[in-house]
Amino acid sequence: MRRLARWLLIGCALFGFNAFAQDPVQGVFVNANTSQEVIDKAIDAGIEKMNFIKRPIARSRLKKTNPLYERIEVGNDGSQISVRFDAGKPVVMPANGSTVKWTRDDGEVFDVSALATGSKLQQTFKAEDGQRVNEFDVAADGTLTLRVTLTSPQLPAPVRYVLTYKRG
């Protein structure tokens, strides 16, 4: 049995494959034909019960801050997790779930954190006016499912949507 284990380790080293250290939530993922309509419908459902004066303001702000990303790049070196959406600035967070400050390209500052467990990664953005939670889950075939939940005291209901990506 020891001899078999040793040969497996040698084989993995020779072929550049380390199954024991491979993080399934790492890599580049591209949009798998999801449309902006999925996000727009979720936003409309979340603001449906707002009064007619606030509703268009909320819709505009939510649409601006929730575009359909075509590409997601996730990295995890064991001490830091980074997530980059399209060509935006990467969000770099400690891998232990601690919160750090991060400034979005438009200047808004967030408290961000991330925690990876197995084939899942949870990333949380907190601001004064609300919170966004991204739940990344990678299936055995490499498909990435991104579940987004937006909450705010300003919203009558959470905004939730699901996007699908394939390994790129």
Side-chain angles (χ1 to χ4, degrees):
M1 190 66 158
R2 278 188 177 174
R3 188 173 284 166
L4 175 62
R6 188 176 13 217
W7 280 109
L8 283 172
L9 287 172
I10 291 169
C12 288
L14 287 173
F15 294 105
F17 175 76
N18 187 346
F20 306 107
Q22 184 73 15
D23 180 356
V25 192
Q26 275 197 106
V28 175
F29 302 89
V30 294
N31 184 343
N33 298 320
T34 303
S35 74
Q36 179 67 39
E37 189 176 328
V38 170
I39 299 170
D40 294 346
K41 284 182 179 181
I43 289 170
D44 286 341
I47 64 173
E48 181 178 41
K49 294 184 179 171
M50 291 182 112
N51 74 42
F52 72 96
I53 295 171
K54 289 183 176 181
R55 192 177 314 129
I57 297 166
R59 180 182 294 115
S60 175
R61 178 142 191 252
L62 288 166
K63 286 181 87 165
K64 180 182 173 191
T65 58
N66 289 278
L68 175 63
Y69 296 110
E70 294 298 323
R71 183 177 187 274
I72 300 173
E73 184 176 344
V74 181
N76 184 348
D77 69 6
S79 65
Q80 290 186 324
I81 296 171
S82 67
V83 179
R84 179 191 303 253
F85 296 98
D86 289 339
K89 183 168 125 179
V91 184
V92 180
M93 304 143 290
N96 65 4
S98 297
T99 301
V100 295
K101 297 281 186 200
W102 178 77
T103 305
R104 192 169 56 197
D105 292 335
D106 67 2
E108 188 169 358
V109 178
F110 295 88
D111 290 329
V112 297
S113 63
L115 194 56
T117 54
S119 65
K120 299 178 190 289
L121 168 64
Q122 182 172 308
Q123 178 185 41
T124 303
F125 294 83
K126 290 184 182 177
E128 288 183 20
D129 61 347
Q131 174 175 289
R132 174 181 172 133
V133 176
N134 293 330
E135 295 176 336
F136 302 86
D137 189 3
V138 179
D141 67 357
T143 301
L144 173 81
T145 301
L146 171 56
R147 289 175 181 79
V148 177
T149 303
L150 307 165
T151 55
S152 169
Q154 306 287 332
L155 293 171
V159 173
R160 290 186 172 100
Y161 56 90
V162 178
L163 306 173
T164 306
Y165 294 83
K166 60 185 178 180
R167 217 171 265 286

